[in-house]
Amino acid sequence: MQTNTHTTHTRPTVLGSPCPGQTRESRQMTTISTLGRILAVTAALTLEVMGGAAKAAITAINSDYLTVGASATGGTPYNLSFDAGANATGLIAVVTSESNSSSMIVRYNGVDFDVAQAHTGSNVGIYYLNDPSTGGAFNFTVQGNGTTINFLGAAIVSVQSTLHTIVPTQVASETGNPAAADVAINVPDSGSFVMAGFNLNNGASANTFVLDSPLTEIFSLFINSGGAGAGYQENVAAGINNYSYTYGGTLAPRTTTAASFMDIPEPSSMILTGLGLAGLCFRRVRK
């Protein structure tokens, strides 16, 4: 006896292709839903790819500093003519003083820095700026809002970052004598850039003050009644890193602050990369 067997062949549905019986509107909804899934996956992949590339180098280009003694007044802007360099993608600054200023204004060519660690009173602030003016020297400006500044020291370093945007990832401070003779910072990412600043008291009676390795020193000086210094380290390993100075005489440690920085992709680059990948995927789906 012959048995008739009927096999149903189901046409495979390509992602985003119309299914039998779909109306035009439902096909459009399917396409939109598919595009939404593609964009979501593409965004995740973009972040993953960019995240893997984010451990890129931040290298110093130029550095300089300014100092002001007892004649300083809180509301006066103090300027340093500074050339960041043609390849600079960012600036990092340290401000340290003995003053009654509750905050400091820090600018380059009239553009305000962002704050990694705010400066108040007699301590250390660390600031950063992305996409600074290049093509010559411009004013690096520091201005307090108080009436008394016994001393002021400020350092600036221009950097070139592979991914063009620097962000602070960790900040650590130590205050008091002798605790502020050094600071330990837990750096989250290998390849980080660390900036450190130092504030000391009784500078007039001191006899030594130098920053310790591995810092590249920008300056360390006795200024009127205290001392100030700043330095940086490139390509810092992840984990606990210590920054310190050596001093003699009756110099009294007051505040030491360090901040780590990493570079990340520019937001526009991430968006364009994601949209480009999404466009390629959607074109493939439509085929």
Side-chain angles (χ1 to χ4, degrees):
M1 180 176 180
Q2 185 177 3
T3 303
N4 293 323
T5 303
H6 177 73
T7 303
T8 301
H9 295 280
T10 303
R11 180 185 175 187
T13 301
V14 179
L15 185 64
S17 65
C19 295
Q22 273 192 314
T23 64
R24 180 180 179 183
E25 290 75 13
S26 63
R27 287 198 300 271
Q28 288 175 339
M29 291 303 296
T30 299
T31 301
I32 292 170
S33 176
T34 300
L35 179 58
R37 291 196 296 271
I38 291 171
L39 287 173
V41 172
T42 302
L45 289 173
T46 302
L47 289 172
E48 182 67 24
V49 171
M50 292 298 191
K55 295 180 178 5
I58 302 175
T59 54
I61 301 175
N62 295 327
S63 64
D64 206 346
Y65 66 92
L66 68 86
T67 60
V68 183
S71 61
T73 56
T76 301
Y78 295 95
N79 296 312
L80 169 70
S81 180
F82 180 74
D83 187 346
N87 296 321
T89 59
L91 301 172
I92 305 174
V94 162
V95 177
T96 176
S97 73
E98 183 177 85
S99 69
N100 66 356
S101 288
S102 59
S103 64
M104 286 284 180
I105 298 169
V106 184
R107 296 189 177 109
Y108 185 69
N109 195 26
V111 179
D112 288 351
F113 279 61
D114 292 313
V115 179
Q117 173 70 33
H119 175 285
T120 57
S122 300
N123 65 11
V124 177
I126 298 180
Y127 303 81
Y128 67 101
L129 177 66
N130 284 298
D131 194 25
S133 299
T134 57
F138 301 94
N139 277 340
F140 168 56
T141 303
V142 179
Q143 180 180 350
N145 66 354
T147 57
T148 303
I149 295 179
N150 292 328
F151 73 81
L152 169 67
I156 183 170
V157 58
S158 59
V159 298
Q160 181 178 10
S161 63
T162 305
L163 301 176
H164 300 289
T165 302
I166 57 172
V167 294
T169 55
Q170 189 68 271
V171 177
S173 290
E174 290 287 352
T175 59
N177 185 8
D182 69 281
V183 65
I185 180 170
N186 189 3
V187 176
D189 300 293
S190 293
S192 293
F193 187 99
V194 170
M195 189 79 161
F198 307 87
N199 185 303
L200 305 92
N201 201 7
N202 299 328
S205 57
N207 51 42
T208 58
F209 172 31
V210 293
L211 306 191
D212 297 332
S213 178
L215 286 173
T216 297
E217 182 175 303
I218 300 175
F219 80 102
S220 60
L221 294 170
F222 304 124
I223 312 170
N224 193 29
S225 60
Y232 63 86
Q233 183 187 6
E234 301 170 320
N235 196 28
V236 179
I240 302 297
N241 289 265
N242 291 278
Y243 300 97
S244 61
Y245 54 88
T246 300
Y247 67 98
T250 58
L251 195 65
R254 183 153 48 194
T255 304
T256 294
T257 299
S260 62
F261 293 83
M262 278 299 296
D263 60 342
I264 63 172
E266 294 175 294
S268 58
S269 298
M270 294 182 68
I271 292 170
L272 289 174
T273 301
L275 290 176
L277 290 173
L280 288 173
C281 292
F282 187 58
R283 182 180 178 186
R284 188 178 183 88
V285 167
R286 292 296 298 272
K287 287 180 179 180

